[in-house]
Amino acid sequence: NAGVTQTPKFQVLKTGQSMTLQCAQDMNHEYMSWYRQDPGMGLRLIHYSVGAGITDQGEVPNGYNVSRSTTEDFPLRLLSAAPSQTSVYFCASSSLNTEAFFGQGTRLTVV
Amino acid sequence: AQSVTQPDIHITVSEGASLELRCNYSYGATPYLFWYVQSPGQGLQLLLKYFSGDTLVQGIKGFEAEFKRSQSSFNLRKPSVHWSDAAEYFCAVGDVYNFNIFYFGYGTKLNVKP
């Protein structure tokens, strides 16, 4: 049972570089979301999607883009990485009346 | 605005002692409520959830939580803590009107003394 799969697990970027964090789920969930986790701040919602072709901003969307072309995939793009984006990123999926299922996270360092 | 408060940032208990982690929320209706646990370097694992019905919810690993509407609380309890319970615990609220949105507390780090 794969669940929610995130790649890569670790990444180091230089300031200004771009990259895409990948997220895939195999549970046929309608809802997918991205959170960032910073020490002492819990998880904060970056972007979310209620289905293919539909995305919306969460609490901390600046500096990030998303798209949802299929039910299974929800990539997160950093167009120009900044040190403030150093964090652990979690992708989650859910359906009506379910909890959020989380991936194992991507630890990103921007130098 | 919705919010989740976990008043205790760090808690230390002795192995075998009882545990209660506090969670209070601010939400306009009765929310969906969750407790997750995170071991270092790992993702979040669901311990238990409350949607409706019985306000005392049983979860995995011997944990339980009680929803108290009058206190806007959803405290997590375990009668006897094991060393393997050392981890960080997050309380979360699910938005019943926008069910793909979850609000998380800042977490409580549990340390277990031998």
Side-chain angles (χ1 to χ4, degrees):
Chain A
N1 293 339
V4 179
T5 303
Q6 290 183 236
T7 55
K9 286 187 168 42
F10 301 94
Q11 183 70 49
V12 179
L13 287 179
K14 293 182 179 179
T15 298
Q17 285 185 318
S18 63
M19 80 159 297
T20 299
L21 308 185
Q22 301 292 342
C23 176
Q25 55 97 2
D26 62 359
M27 296 174 282
N28 203 31
H29 285 166
E30 311 96 299
Y31 309 130
M32 296 187 74
S33 49
W34 278 100
Y35 294 83
R36 61 177 288 172
Q37 183 180 27
D38 301 293
M41 299 191 72
L43 279 77
R44 293 181 292 168
L45 182 64
I46 304 171
H47 284 287
Y48 64 94
S49 169
V50 299
I54 306 170
T55 63
D56 207 344
Q57 296 181 352
E59 181 185 356
V60 287
N62 292 340
Y64 308 95
N65 281 349
V66 292
S67 60
R68 182 112 179 259
S69 56
T70 67
T71 300
E72 295 79 18
D73 300 299
F74 191 45
L76 178 72
R77 281 183 287 277
L78 286 71
L79 296 180
S80 179
S84 61
Q85 295 179 302
T86 293
S87 187
V88 181
Y89 292 85
F90 286 99
C91 179
S93 74
S94 60
S95 186
L96 273 178
N97 298 325
T98 75
E99 67 272 26
F101 293 80
F102 286 89
Q104 289 300 297
T106 295
R107 187 173 296 273
L108 176 67
T109 302
V110 182
V111 297
Chain B
Q2 298 87 344
S3 67
V4 180
T5 301
Q6 293 180 244
D8 304 304
I9 299 173
H10 292 277
I11 282 186
T12 298
V13 300
S14 297
E15 190 168 17
S18 64
L19 172 70
E20 182 169 30
L21 302 183
R22 295 181 291 163
C23 174
N24 294 95
Y25 65 87
S26 173
Y27 189 74
T30 299
Y32 299 145
L33 296 160
F34 309 87
W35 275 99
Y36 286 87
V37 61
Q38 184 182 34
S39 298
Q42 300 297 311
L44 281 79
Q45 180 185 21
L46 181 74
L47 284 176
L48 46 77
K49 59 188 176 185
Y50 172 80
F51 287 168
S52 65
D54 192 345
T55 56
L56 185 61
V57 179
Q58 301 298 318
I60 63 171
K61 305 184 181 185
F63 285 93
E64 67 177 25
E66 186 172 12
F67 168 54
K68 293 186 176 179
R69 186 192 311 271
S70 61
Q71 299 177 19
S72 297
S73 69
F74 189 56
N75 293 348
L76 182 70
R77 300 192 293 251
K78 186 170 185 178
S80 178
V81 169
H82 188 262
W83 64 266
S84 60
D85 293 324
E88 190 160 19
Y89 292 79
F90 292 94
C91 181
V93 162
D95 190 329
V96 301
Y97 302 112
N98 198 351
F99 198 69
N100 56 319
I101 296 178
F102 297 82
Y103 302 94
F104 286 83
Y106 286 177
T108 298
K109 284 189 178 175
L110 173 65
N111 183 42
V112 180
K113 290 191 303 186

